[in-house]
Amino acid sequence: MTAQGGGTTGARLLLRRLRALMAEGGTAEERLQRIVRTIAAGMVAEVCSAYVMRPGEVLELFATEGLKLEAVHRTRLRVGEGLVGDIASHARPLALADAQTHPNFAYRPETGEEIYRSLMGVPILRGGRVIGVLVVQNRTARQYTEEEIEALETTAMVVAELIASGDLVPRAETRSTEGIGLLPTRLEGLSLCPGLAIGRAVLHKQRPSLVEIVAENPVRERERLASAVAGLHRALDDLLQTAEHSGGGEHVDILEAYRMFAEDRGWLARLDEAIASGLSAEGAVLKVQNDARVRMSQVVDPYLRERLSDLDELADRLLRHLAGAAAAIALPEKAVVVARTLGPAELLEFDRKRLRAIILEEGSPTAHVAIVARALDLPMIGRVEGALARIEERDRVIVDADNGQAFIRPGDDIEEKVAESMALKAHRRAVFASVRELPSVSRDGVALSLSINAGLLIDMQHLAASGADGVGLYRTEIAFMVRDNFPDVAQQTEFYRRIYEQAAGKPVIFRTLDVGGDKVLPYWPRSGEENPAIGWRALRIALDLPTLLRQQARALIAAAAGRPLDMMFPMIATAAEFTAARRIVDIEVARARQRGIKAPEPLRVGAMLEVPSLIWELPSLLAEADFVSVGSNDLAQFFFASDRGNPRLADRYDPLSPAMLLALSEVARQCAAARRPLSVCGEMASKPIEAMALLGVGIGSLSMAPPAIGPVKLMVRSLELDPLRNYMSGLIHHPHASIRQELMAYARDHGVTF
Ligand code: PEP
Ligand code: MG
């Protein structure tokens, strides 16, 4: 029979013969030898060889018909080396009439293969993974047909079974080689922290294999549990200490909350009960964890879910302590950690220098782990379904967290593209770095001010790194959100004092507590409002519960300790609200003076312009406020009555509309007339074209996400402001819904770069 011309029947016959061979006696190697002989005959080839993948990405010749037998186990090729390595690395067949002229041909004298001209090889695949390569060779320059390639691919499946049986090489080898050879896949998820990274997968499966769930001796199990719990406490304490030493910040709060959980009596009592019911210590932890997971699946409240997932992480850690394997996973270089979920403490335990990115099957933007990832500037994607099943240990992985996707075992082309865009990013970073120390002055000599927005202590490092003039918006609520209880005045004072310290003399504008809406304080009851974005939030809460604002003002005054203090209120709808809030601050300043505490010098109290109604009250507002900062995210949301978080509306209204820009130019005009500084601190200021438009309508101070400083400064330094202002004074009366195109064209024609 020949598969050559014999078509599918020939292939089926060959397959039947091979199956019969598989059932025969002898060692696995002897069977493999018979198999290659049969394939050679079936395919009318002088040579048939089977290479098996060994640890270290090496393909080893295991059996051959036609090549010299002494080459068996001697000939070894790296994945990617020679034609066999090429087939494995691309996981695709190769058919060459003249193999030796192929650029990848690697001559191996021990095989005696120089007399064979043509070669056809296919990958031996199992579970999507390359576990070997099957090759036939002929003396003549044979043109192998598509059908023959298919026939060889089918026979390779039989060889795969033999390899995977574990008789030929230990099964573990073929299950978990180096991850090379699995077919490329793209997985989608949700971006939790943007960024781009290339690395190797490290699977984080916490579950140790359990031997005994049931135990006879509860006394002994209690002892084991107690010592594991003690170990867990010690480990958390160590972690806390390191976090404190490395600058502290919110990590410390998160870890402290965590340790509190580890001491939670309810949790410990439930574990104890489970042991009493006859479970081993491990069985008890699993049971309590399972119960929590069941509850978790029913809970919708994000706060409670967060707490339950903290408990879930603790249970995993406790299991590791019980198994005596409590040490953190040692990461290889350039690691991409893949996990179902990760706790913030676990994330902090990894060696940041080796960690490139994180892929989670669960996770949400408000999860603690996501907050920590953003603080560490670590690309992270979440909600990646089946990540642990679809990614193998040590697989090559590209995490494109900017677009919420990951490429697993990417092809060379994708990897090249990503490497290119990483290089481009690095180049752009270098360009931005080159203007870091230069002033933000337009080409026609107008000095402008560029600041960063911050919300975590760790963000403060961007102040010096970006060369920004100061912090134009410090979102104080973030520190409240990552804690487990409301910080008292002393704790707040300490926190603000550290911000001052890190600002090293540059100005910081503290925005008072902006909670409510989507910013939930874990320890506050949820209001269940129908429209939380326009509900009881921000300054509205502060005016109803003035103690909150008083305490915050008291802490800020104490932290300023006689230095300048800039603060502003969020979500003001009427000038009267501003006045009322300012009075509360004044009371605190007077109180400080009475107690001999130095009052801030100067104290500047500003208003955030986020609600359109305030635009028509500017004269009264400006009589009271020291400065105005436009929160363009909320302003646009209320201006267009369009939910800022709803992706379906994201492109419907352009803030670069004549309506919005007209409103802003009117605000700029009135602020200038009243000599009150005006800035914009919403997302608009972070995008060069939007920022250019803001400058064009007369706003000279912008506060933005730290990575935007470079591009916006480039834009400023390449811009002639006066002609732009002239041009825009006409453009904002344009009848279109957006003037973005016109502004882009203007930038292009006038050499504005970013
Ligand atoms: C804004 O609304 O534009 C703003 C800066 O505040 P936040 O994004 O924190 O609501
Ligand atoms: Mg806002």
Side-chain angles (χ1 to χ4, degrees):
M1 149 267 137
T2 64
Q4 190 182 12
T8 45
T9 352
R12 211 169 322 137
L13 247 162
L14 174 56
L15 212 56
R16 199 178 303 155
R17 246 186 262 161
L18 293 179
R19 280 209 175 277
L21 278 179
M22 287 279 286
E24 281 182 20
T27 66
E29 281 220 38
E30 287 165 359
R31 267 179 287 157
L32 185 61
Q33 187 56 43
R34 270 179 257 144
I35 286 174
V36 293
R37 192 174 310 138
T38 310
I39 296 174
M43 307 289 302
V44 197
E46 280 92 12
V47 175
C48 177
S49 314
Y51 294 81
V52 177
M53 185 77 84
R54 304 304 308 269
E57 305 178 28
V58 172
L59 292 147
E60 183 174 317
L61 181 64
F62 256 67
T64 183
E65 166 73 8
L67 297 185
K68 291 185 186 157
L69 280 179
E70 57 266 36
V72 169
H73 297 308
R74 267 185 64 204
T75 297
R76 289 159 68 89
L77 294 145
R78 267 185 302 104
V79 167
E81 185 190 6
L83 297 176
V84 169
D86 191 278
I87 293 164
S89 71
H90 294 101
R92 62 166 185 238
L94 209 57
L96 303 165
D98 196 347
Q100 299 183 13
T101 58
H102 189 280
N104 259 3
F105 180 77
Y107 175 54
R108 287 301 164 95
E110 75 273 19
T111 60
E113 67 179 332
E114 60 278 19
I115 52 173
Y116 302 109
R117 263 187 93 179
S118 51
L119 175 146
M120 164 169 70
V122 296
I124 303 172
L125 295 161
R126 184 154 173 111
R129 158 185 301 287
V130 176
I131 58 172
V133 172
L134 189 62
V135 175
V136 295
Q137 286 170 278
N138 282 76
R139 278 176 199 267
T140 54
R142 177 168 161 186
Q143 301 280 353
Y144 300 99
T145 65
E146 278 302 317
E147 257 181 1
E148 288 164 336
I149 296 175
E150 271 171 34
L152 193 62
E153 281 178 327
T154 319
T155 54
M157 288 165 61
V158 180
V159 183
E161 265 178 62
L162 184 64
I163 299 176
S165 70
D167 296 334
L168 205 58
V169 288
R171 191 174 284 148
E173 269 187 35
T174 51
R175 261 212 246 124
S176 156
T177 50
E178 299 297 313
I180 287 287
L182 260 170
L183 303 176
T185 326
R186 193 175 65 91
L187 302 180
E188 291 222 8
L190 187 73
S191 172
L192 298 181
C193 177
L196 199 57
I198 303 185
R200 289 244 179 233
V202 175
L203 302 194
H204 188 50
K205 293 178 182 165
Q206 299 104 328
R207 182 61 27 89
S209 57
L210 287 184
V211 214
E212 279 302 339
I213 293 219
V214 188
E216 293 297 322
N217 184 348
V219 178
R220 196 181 117 64
E221 295 309 308
R222 284 206 175 95
E223 280 168 14
R224 292 184 58 231
L225 183 69
S227 95
V229 168
L232 176 71
H233 283 171
R234 269 195 307 278
L236 281 173
D237 283 343
D238 288 351
L239 211 55
L240 251 167
Q241 245 177 17
T242 346
E244 267 163 1
H245 282 156
S246 62
E250 290 74 9
H251 318 12
V252 179
D253 292 338
I254 290 173
L255 283 175
E256 266 166 4
Y258 227 73
R259 191 179 48 184
M260 237 179 55
F261 272 115
E263 282 160 10
D264 183 84
R265 279 168 192 262
W267 188 57
L268 295 172
R270 281 194 296 281
L271 290 172
D272 195 66
E273 265 167 39
I275 288 182
S277 75
L279 291 176
S280 67
E282 287 89 345
V285 178
L286 271 182
K287 172 164 187 310
V288 171
Q289 188 183 33
N290 282 339
D291 292 350
R293 282 196 183 151
V294 171
R295 271 188 289 148
M296 194 146 63
S297 64
Q298 294 157 354
V299 168
V300 270
D301 185 291
Y303 168 63
L304 267 181
R305 283 185 72 89
E306 236 357 277
R307 302 288 74 75
L308 285 169
S309 85
D310 282 350
L311 276 180
D312 200 52
E313 187 194 336
L314 273 183
D316 278 332
R317 285 170 159 265
L318 195 50
L319 284 173
R320 293 216 301 270
H321 279 273
L322 279 167
I329 301 179
L331 292 182
E333 295 284 341
K334 301 185 183 169
V336 173
V337 168
V338 185
R340 182 175 60 80
T341 173
L342 267 186
E346 277 177 307
L347 181 52
L348 290 168
E349 258 177 346
F350 291 123
D351 179 355
R352 177 69 186 90
K353 284 193 220 69
R354 290 168 174 258
L355 186 57
R356 288 296 143 93
I358 303 273
I359 299 177
L360 299 180
E361 291 187 340
E362 297 177 2
S364 75
T366 52
H368 283 161
V369 69
I371 294 174
V372 173
R374 287 196 287 273
L376 299 176
D377 196 16
L378 183 68
M380 178 187 270
I381 51 174
R383 309 250 177 96
V384 182
E385 254 175 63
L388 281 170
R390 295 161 74 184
I391 304 174
E392 298 280 334
E393 190 74 27
R394 303 207 34 80
D395 266 348
R396 223 163 153 64
V397 178
I398 294 174
V399 177
D400 171 10
D402 294 337
N403 299 300
Q405 57 182 355
F407 298 93
I408 318 302
R409 306 171 286 274
D412 295 347
D413 45 344
I414 293 184
E415 197 154 328
E416 261 166 39
K417 288 226 165 55
V418 170
E420 256 170 41
S421 68
M422 283 172 82
L424 202 68
K425 275 191 171 182
H427 171 71
R428 283 178 64 79
R429 265 200 302 275
V431 174
F432 301 147
S434 70
V435 295
R436 187 174 53 207
E437 305 301 333
L438 302 176
S440 319
V441 180
S442 71
R443 253 173 54 203
D444 47 350
V446 183
L448 301 154
S449 158
L450 306 185
S451 306
I452 58 162
N453 296 343
L456 289 166
L457 255 187
I458 205 155
D459 292 337
M460 295 300 289
Q461 73 197 23
H462 299 304
L463 190 49
S466 64
D469 298 321
V471 178
L473 164 67
Y474 197 102
R475 294 179 163 106
T476 59
E477 65 276 1
I478 309 273
F480 287 68
M481 286 162 66
V482 298
R483 295 174 55 96
D484 260 80
N485 47 28
F486 203 92
D488 60 22
V489 175
Q491 285 166 328
Q492 286 191 53
T493 306
E494 172 57 17
F495 185 69
Y496 303 138
R497 205 188 48 71
R498 272 152 82 181
I499 298 172
Y500 265 105
E501 207 171 85
Q502 305 219 2
K506 287 190 176 178
V508 179
I509 301 180
F510 293 91
R511 194 250 312 265
T512 60
L513 210 54
D514 183 12
V515 292
D518 62 336
K519 295 176 190 163
V520 184
L521 289 189
Y523 32 87
W524 268 11
R526 291 173 67 74
S527 58
E529 291 171 298
E530 211 158 295
N531 294 304
I534 49 173
W536 195 58
R537 57 172 287 203
L539 191 66
R540 299 166 184 186
I541 298 180
L543 292 175
D544 286 352
L545 305 173
T547 314
L548 284 186
L549 183 54
R550 282 190 64 164
Q551 288 185 349
Q552 195 171 20
R554 196 176 305 163
L556 284 168
I557 291 165
R563 288 173 285 197
L565 171 60
D566 295 286
M567 58 192 285
M568 62 185 181
F569 308 126
M571 277 286 288
I572 304 166
T574 65
E577 281 178 346
F578 177 85
T579 308
R582 179 153 204 166
R583 292 294 159 263
I584 294 174
V585 175
D586 290 343
I587 292 172
E588 281 305 317
V589 174
R591 181 181 178 277
R593 285 217 173 90
Q594 264 171 14
R595 295 178 181 226
I597 299 168
K598 267 197 202 156
E601 194 49 54
L603 166 69
R604 285 174 291 244
V605 185
M608 280 193 85
L609 179 61
E610 302 191 281
V611 184
S613 58
L614 200 57
I615 300 175
W616 284 269
E617 275 201 289
L618 278 173
S620 338
L621 180 77
L622 294 174
E624 287 275 340
D626 296 317
F627 63 91
V628 174
S629 187
V630 176
S632 58
N633 306 335
D634 275 317
L635 184 62
Q637 142 161 291
F638 301 129
F639 196 79
F640 295 112
S642 170
D643 183 349
R644 66 192 257 187
N646 186 337
R648 291 177 108 171
L649 298 174
D651 295 325
R652 179 170 286 263
Y653 305 103
D654 192 347
L656 292 185
S657 66
M660 179 101 174
L661 292 169
L662 259 173
L664 290 175
S665 76
E666 177 56 19
V667 174
R669 190 190 63 74
Q670 292 200 37
C671 286
R675 296 183 187 284
R676 293 285 185 264
L678 168 67
S679 61
V680 170
C681 63
E683 287 310 300
M684 255 183 112
S686 296
K687 299 174 189 146
I689 280 288
E690 273 87 339
M692 183 184 91
L694 293 171
L695 301 179
V697 297
I699 300 173
S701 167
L702 305 174
S703 189
M704 61 204 77
I709 292 282
V712 172
K713 196 187 262 191
L714 275 186
M715 180 276 290
V716 165
R717 293 181 56 83
S718 60
L719 174 75
E720 260 195 274
L721 198 53
D722 210 38
L724 173 72
R725 287 195 170 152
N726 274 336
Y727 174 63
M728 282 198 67
S729 62
L731 195 61
I732 50 175
H733 298 284
H734 210 283
H736 293 170
S738 164
I739 51 170
R740 181 174 297 273
Q741 291 311 326
E742 287 78 359
L743 288 168
M744 302 268 276
Y746 183 93
R748 228 181 7 253
D749 297 346
H750 292 78
V752 180
T753 50
F754 38 85

